[in-house]
Amino acid sequence: MTHDSKSGSSAMDRRQFIKISALAGGGLLVASGFDTAEHIVVAQAAPTTGLAPIADFAPNVFVSIAPSGAVTLIAPNSEMGQGIKTSLPMIVAEELDVKWEQVTVVQGDLNPAYGRQFSVGSGSTVANYVAMRRAGAAARAVLVEAAALEWNVNASECTTANGVVTHAASNRQATYGALATKAAQLPAPVNVPLKDPSTFKLLGTRISGVDNRKIVKGAPLFGIDVTLPGMLYATYTKCPVFGGDVASANLDEVKAKPGVRDAFVLRGIAGLPSGVAVVADSTWNAFSATKALKVQWNEGPQVSQSSSEMAEQALTLAKANAPASLPSGARAVEAVYHYPFLAHATLEPQNCTAWFKDGVMEMWTPTQIPSSGQGLVMQGLGLAAKDVKVHITRLGGGFGRRGSNEFSIEAAAIAQKFAGTPIKLTWTREQDFAHDNYRSNGWHFFSAGLDSQGSVVALHDAYVKMLGGPGDMSAAGFPFNAIQGSQVRSGKLRGGIPTGYWRAPGDNGNVWATQSFMDELAHAAGKEPLAFTLDLLATVPASPKFDANKLIAVLKLATEKAHWGQKRPRGEGQGFAICFANNAYVAIVADVAVSRAGELKIKKLTAAVDAGTIVNLSGAEAQVQGSMLDGISAAWFQKVTIERGAAAQTNFNKYPMLRMNHAPPVVDVHFIQSSAPPTGLGEPALPAAAPAVCNAIFAATGKRIRTLPIADDTLKWT
């Protein structure tokens, strides 16, 4: 997002600009109400050269077509690299029948009329797919009707392509721009038919991200780039121990630092932990002064928590929640799998710019759930919804972290004290790590029974995780649903450590544990892992929510493309894992090599995915590839440990990320061709990557990885 430094908050916003540019000259505006019936409304206007008609139009605008032929599409959901700013407008453009080159995409701000503006749960495309298609189809239908009236022909005789309406019988054509003024005066279309997916021209093709060129050039798109006139810069320091409170601070000393405008304690605001705000004339001066801050903290009860204490508590809970005994005569196979807390480690630290003026809080924020940030500010500062305006910027990484929005209430509370002056709050990297909402740690205490033929007759899991964190297990998913009488019992560690949604919540750890144990179980049964898994999948009962045949299909495709089963030298191996997440079906095969000294190299990843209709093939491939690499990075290197109620890792020097020399040189992605509605795609490929690698390590070395990260283990073999 760019901001005119001369404009300020009273400047015309982007929705107004689109309306004016489209309609002042008699253009066409299309809006979608996103109600339960997904009703389409076409705004109507007579040509005008003034701005008066603007008040007559609904603000929930998705499509505008100017007489010049320019097409502007609104992207309503937050863009954080998952490609939604490109793919949602593509859906509209497909039904509208315009060239992609004709389209300009504008990021929408928070507006209830847009419907679901949550970029979470891989749900943006799923939730908006039909409504976006209808928005484009409604615009196309009214343009066709305008042409038919102009030519005195039946609309059914007209066709569209590339922003042009054609009547073949009379050899007449008209561009959408030429028809926009007349179309804007027509009644809204009702029950507009959608295209047959087999006729799609744009969907399923490769389209570059609409922001790619700007990103390469370093254009100001992200929250951290926002610049407003007279802006000041802030940090907000909270107790390292979760739940701690400010007792005292050296505020006078900090206020004397270069460029500092103020330093003060904030407390007693709903949704805002107490802390110390430092406000300065630059980010550098704010950060520098924050380093000089000395705070006496009331650390609170969480200071007694540690990762080692949690491990002891997990064992106690698992024993107390032990599932039923294994069947008589069954051979027991038992294992404990553990994964740690994870930070989100977004490249762009948490930030928000807030401007409180004339009773209105205006915010520019990189948020996955803008309404959540608005709600926090409303609750904390006692403002009405109409007085909290949220502009959505591009996000420099999200992965679930930017759904909780603490940075919004922090920035707004500071801005309220500096009424009339914009405040940009930026967390330091250390603050970002120390006050994350972590992926919860977890333990799986597996027990399984094998009969004399090596068949699985029982599968139980005593599962322990942090209280309040997402990702509970149940026996409804694979492989538990393939084995009659399976049990999953959950125990919860006492709370206090903040946990939240981390890419592929729940599945990111649970699938690693279960798919690793399934490989372990196959070897214990003396069976080839692929045949073992396919046999289990074949026994899964039919369900409207889970199609085992689709999982079988992706597993067969992935193993075929990866040349599964070919003999390899000692120290090299293949492993696979499967996952059903966000209604998508994924299978991943990993090829690895481990030297005798224990050096791991991932040579290749092969993924097969059934995610329904693919909107943007380039974006879809990028999401699968990025998800796999993200999952490998976490499993190989990353962990957050808790010491005295605080995170021990507070920067990248203690929280390493996957580097280029670690990344596999080949990451192969294959999609099942499908005309079904699209499923989620930003997360489903992550969970299976780690167990595929760990299973491949076992195949290469005989070493079983039961505790993450992999880097904490020794992979040496003889």
Side-chain angles (χ1 to χ4, degrees):
M1 176 185 295
T2 57
H3 303 282
D4 183 349
S5 61
K6 299 179 181 179
S7 63
S9 64
S10 62
M12 182 188 305
D13 70 23
R14 290 169 293 188
R15 286 192 297 275
Q16 286 178 309
F17 174 79
I18 292 166
K19 294 175 186 176
I20 292 169
S21 62
L23 292 169
L28 173 67
L29 215 80
V30 182
S32 172
F34 276 90
D35 57 18
T36 53
E38 292 173 338
H39 180 61
I40 299 300
V41 178
V42 178
Q44 304 169 49
T48 176
T49 57
L51 304 185
I54 296 305
D56 298 330
F57 300 113
N60 52 341
V61 179
F62 283 91
V63 182
S64 68
I65 302 174
S68 66
V71 178
T72 302
L73 304 180
I74 296 292
N77 288 58
S78 305
E79 172 63 58
M80 54 184 166
Q82 84 280 38
I84 208 68
K85 188 176 179 181
T86 304
S87 58
L88 287 184
M90 282 179 65
I91 297 167
V92 180
E94 175 65 69
E95 291 287 353
L96 184 57
D97 242 355
V98 293
K99 291 181 181 179
W100 186 246
E101 293 76 14
Q102 294 175 258
V103 170
T104 297
V105 176
V106 174
Q107 176 66 60
D109 293 332
L110 176 62
N111 187 334
Y114 288 147
R116 185 191 188 277
Q117 286 186 272
F118 298 172
S119 286
V120 296
S122 297
S124 296
T125 301
V126 175
N128 293 325
Y129 181 65
V130 173
M132 288 294 189
R133 290 185 66 188
R134 288 178 176 170
R140 175 168 47 87
V142 78
L143 289 160
V144 168
E145 183 64 25
L149 290 172
E150 184 78 20
W151 300 329
N152 195 27
V153 299
N154 194 309
S156 64
E157 299 173 7
C158 298
T159 59
T160 59
N162 299 327
V164 176
V165 180
T166 299
H167 184 250
S170 61
N171 197 30
R172 283 179 287 189
Q173 290 186 328
T175 66
Y176 285 1
L179 296 167
T181 298
K182 187 175 186 65
Q185 303 172 47
L186 298 178
V190 178
N191 297 325
V192 179
L194 302 179
K195 286 185 177 181
D196 185 316
S198 65
T199 67
F200 285 167
K201 302 172 186 176
L202 183 61
L203 298 194
T205 65
R206 296 182 179 277
I207 298 295
S208 297
V210 295
D211 287 340
N212 283 3
R213 289 184 180 273
K214 293 179 181 179
I215 291 171
V216 170
K217 293 179 179 180
L221 295 168
F222 300 89
I224 206 167
D225 296 326
V226 173
T227 301
L228 296 173
M231 187 168 73
L232 294 178
Y233 304 81
T235 64
Y236 190 65
T237 301
K238 294 168 284 192
C239 182
V241 177
F242 302 112
D245 184 40
V246 177
S248 63
N250 61 333
L251 299 180
D252 290 338
E253 181 182 344
V254 172
K255 290 177 185 178
K257 295 294 180 181
V260 173
R261 301 295 181 88
D262 203 357
F264 50 88
V265 174
L266 284 173
R267 58 160 54 92
I269 298 174
L272 178 65
S274 83
V276 180
V278 175
V279 181
D281 57 8
S282 69
T283 300
W284 176 263
N285 283 335
F287 279 15
S288 297
T290 298
K291 290 180 180 179
L293 185 63
K294 297 182 177 65
V295 185
Q296 294 296 317
W297 302 102
N298 294 320
E299 293 180 325
Q302 304 307 330
V303 73
S304 65
Q305 284 198 294
S306 67
S307 290
S308 58
E309 182 264 344
M310 291 177 201
E312 294 175 2
Q313 187 185 3
L315 180 58
T316 300
L317 287 169
K319 290 179 178 178
N321 284 318
S325 300
L326 298 177
S328 177
R331 177 163 62 93
V333 180
E334 298 179 335
V336 179
Y337 283 78
H338 166 59
Y339 50 86
F341 289 108
L342 291 179
H344 291 82
T346 59
L347 187 59
E348 178 191 24
Q350 311 315 304
N351 66 87
C352 177
T353 299
W355 194 351
F356 188 60
K357 187 170 66 171
D358 300 326
V360 175
M361 187 68 70
E362 190 169 7
M363 300 190 297
W364 291 260
T365 177
T367 172
Q368 292 179 241
I369 311 179
S371 59
S372 170
Q374 182 190 52
L376 282 174
V377 174
M378 290 166 56
Q379 179 187 14
L381 303 183
L383 298 174
K386 65 180 180 62
D387 295 326
V388 182
K389 298 181 179 180
V390 180
H391 305 290
I392 305 169
T393 71
R394 191 176 175 103
L395 288 61
F399 320 116
R401 175 62 186 93
R402 300 186 196 269
S404 51
N405 286 284
E406 314 98 296
F407 39 88
S408 294
I409 180 60
E410 292 174 4
I414 297 169
Q416 191 178 54
K417 290 182 69 70
F418 279 79
T421 300
I423 299 291
K424 179 194 281 187
L425 170 76
T426 306
W427 289 21
T428 66
R429 183 65 67 190
E430 290 79 9
Q431 290 168 343
D432 205 6
F433 270 98
H435 292 283
D436 203 343
N437 293 308
Y438 307 101
R439 191 280 302 272
S440 178
N441 56 358
W443 287 260
H444 291 262
F445 294 81
F446 290 115
S447 58
L450 300 175
D451 66 14
S452 57
Q453 283 75 45
S455 298
V456 185
V457 293
L459 176 60
H460 302 322
D461 182 11
Y463 171 49
V464 179
K465 61 181 284 291
M466 177 62 60
L467 180 68
D472 282 338
M473 284 276 289
S474 78
F478 184 80
F480 301 97
N481 58 359
I483 302 163
Q484 190 173 3
S486 293
Q487 291 186 3
V488 175
R489 294 188 177 179
S490 178
K492 301 296 175 64
L493 300 169
R494 67 183 177 93
I497 308 302
T499 56
Y501 294 91
W502 194 96
R503 195 172 188 176
D507 292 326
N508 54 54
N510 296 341
V511 170
W512 167 73
T514 55
Q515 284 294 294
S516 295
F517 186 63
M518 290 308 296
D519 187 77
E520 185 167 355
L521 202 53
H523 285 280
K527 296 185 177 181
E528 196 278 327
L530 177 58
F532 178 82
T533 301
L534 290 172
D535 286 346
L536 276 178
L537 283 168
T539 67
V540 175
S543 166
K545 294 183 178 181
F546 174 74
D547 188 342
N549 289 324
K550 290 187 175 182
L551 208 47
I552 290 171
V554 293
L555 179 54
K556 287 183 175 179
L557 178 59
T559 50
E560 174 193 340
K561 296 295 184 180
H563 306 292
W564 177 265
Q566 288 185 354
K567 190 173 182 180
R568 286 166 171 77
R570 183 73 191 278
E572 294 190 15
Q574 276 189 322
F576 72 84
I578 55 177
C579 177
F580 172 67
N582 305 100
N583 293 316
Y585 300 81
V586 179
I588 296 173
V589 179
D591 286 80
V592 309
V594 182
S595 70
R596 290 184 181 274
E599 181 184 3
L600 171 64
K601 290 187 180 298
I602 302 174
K603 300 175 66 175
K604 182 181 179 182
L605 293 175
T606 305
V609 181
D610 186 340
T613 296
I614 299 300
V615 174
N616 182 357
L617 182 55
S618 292
E621 283 182 346
Q623 283 304 287
V624 174
Q625 291 169 337
S627 293
M628 290 193 288
L629 296 180
D630 203 5
I632 289 170
S633 180
W636 197 345
F637 301 109
Q638 295 163 17
K639 67 176 178 180
V640 170
T641 54
I642 304 301
E643 298 175 5
R644 298 190 72 256
Q649 293 77 19
T650 57
N651 213 320
F652 287 114
N653 63 323
K654 294 184 178 180
Y655 195 85
M657 309 292 285
L658 190 79
R659 293 177 178 267
M660 291 294 290
N661 61 305
H662 299 129
V666 180
V667 183
D668 200 10
V669 178
H670 304 272
F671 292 101
I672 299 287
Q673 296 299 312
S674 174
S675 60
T679 72
L681 195 54
E683 299 169 287
L686 184 145
V693 169
C694 289
N695 292 339
I697 290 171
F698 176 80
T701 67
K703 175 75 175 181
R704 184 67 68 181
I705 306 297
R706 298 193 184 97
T707 299
L708 296 179
I710 298 168
D712 280 359
D713 213 325
T714 174
L715 302 183
K716 293 181 181 180
W717 55 275
T718 57

